[in-house]
Amino acid sequence: MVDAADLRNSVETTEDAFLGGRIMARQLKDGYRAAVDTVMLAAATPKLNKGGSLLELGCGVGVASLCYAARNPVGTITGVELAPVPVELALENSRRNGYAERFLPVQGNILDLHALGLTGQFDQVMANPPYLAEGHAYLSPNADRRRSNVEAEGALSDWLHAMIQALKPKGGLTLVQRADRLAEIIDLLDGRVGEIEIIPLWPRAGIAAKRVIVRARKGVQGGSKLHPGLVLHGEGNDFTPMAAGILRRGEALI
């Protein structure tokens, strides 16, 4: 049996800062890397009330969950991740950042939430599903990047089903996805959730959005809302003041 510490130490990693250094996370050097989308997902997910609970599907090394914990002082967070090495890194990152009592990553498949005992009990669920459909994308030779970016263990429909399945009645889901899959998302959510909110992430002013954040609530019937969204970059590669506030100071996104 492989020791957890040996598993963590068997891969090359980097130590990276998020939220201006409030969160320090060890992540795979040659693999999927948490970045802007990860922090934006956490910033867009509504806050929990005291005693509330959040589930992150596909939590990786835990960056989104830890960023969420840093800006939300109450509530518990569970993460589900398929691959064993990211789970061990997430456990380490949780301990090192002082959130071991609030954030618990577990190894498992999002298709097996019932077997994991994670259905119908969360106030909020967030996820960054793979962006590309299987058969319609270049397959990276790196297994971690391939698994994170291309649907293989579950299609987008499976991810959305799992998110809804995990929620309590009237609970909320939040996901970040490619803008060109928005119509597919809306179609998959139709009749199952309400109060759908769409938040475009514009790379620059006047440039079409490449990413969208979608929020919705289970078992309600409210209408949809299109937010003004967020422009990420201003002059050069600098972030706009609003984007910098979210990425460096942990401010909320709408």
Side-chain angles (χ1 to χ4, degrees):
M1 185 174 181
V2 179
D3 181 80
D6 291 339
L7 187 62
R8 290 195 304 272
N9 294 326
S10 66
V11 294
E12 192 172 1
T13 61
T14 61
E15 183 87 1
D16 299 293
F18 298 88
L19 305 187
R22 290 170 63 189
I23 296 298
M24 299 298 298
R26 187 179 169 204
Q27 56 180 340
L28 295 169
K29 182 177 181 180
D30 188 17
Y32 177 78
R33 309 273 299 169
V36 171
D37 292 356
T38 310
V39 181
M40 291 295 170
L41 173 65
T45 302
K47 287 189 174 184
L48 296 171
N49 295 322
K50 186 176 181 180
S53 60
L54 175 139
L55 174 68
E56 183 186 2
L57 299 182
C59 69
V61 302
V63 173
S65 287
L66 291 170
C67 287
Y68 185 87
R71 54 176 292 271
N72 293 274
V74 299
T76 59
I77 303 166
T78 302
V80 174
E81 171 58 42
L82 182 64
V85 173
V87 171
E88 290 301 324
L89 291 173
L91 285 164
E92 177 185 342
N93 290 333
S94 181
R95 290 192 297 268
R96 292 180 62 197
N97 284 278
Y99 292 107
E101 294 185 359
R102 291 187 57 207
F103 171 46
L104 176 63
V106 297
Q107 186 178 356
N109 194 315
I110 66 153
L111 304 179
D112 298 324
L113 292 188
H114 183 75
L116 294 170
L118 299 176
T119 58
Q121 61 180 281
F122 293 94
D123 299 288
Q124 296 290 335
V125 177
M126 66 179 182
N128 182 180
Y131 286 148
L132 302 168
E134 190 174 22
H136 297 275
Y138 162 76
L139 296 178
S140 170
N142 182 279
D144 190 64
R145 289 179 184 170
R146 183 170 63 249
R147 178 181 54 80
S148 299
N149 293 323
V150 181
E151 295 171 0
E153 301 300 329
L156 182 57
S157 59
D158 296 312
W159 283 78
L160 291 172
H161 174 74
M163 295 180 82
I164 295 169
Q165 183 185 38
L167 286 170
K168 296 176 180 178
K170 298 186 180 180
L173 65 83
T174 305
L175 72 149
V176 59
Q177 184 54 264
R178 285 167 55 113
D180 59 7
R181 301 194 75 177
L182 179 59
E184 181 183 0
I185 292 169
I186 299 300
D187 184 59
L188 289 168
L189 292 177
D190 185 43
R192 306 176 71 188
V193 299
E195 296 183 5
I196 297 175
E197 299 179 75
I198 301 163
I199 308 169
L201 299 178
W202 318 102
R204 300 179 188 279
I207 303 297
K210 294 183 178 180
R211 301 283 186 267
V212 291
I213 289 172
V214 179
R215 297 192 301 216
R217 294 180 64 207
K218 177 179 179 177
V220 302
Q221 297 183 347
S224 301
K225 180 184 295 184
L226 176 62
H227 289 279
L230 174 70
V231 177
L232 296 175
H233 295 282
E235 295 294 328
N237 291 321
D238 291 340
F239 287 109
T240 61
M242 186 175 293
I246 294 167
L247 295 170
R248 297 169 185 161
R249 296 188 296 277
E251 297 174 1
L253 172 56
I254 307 180

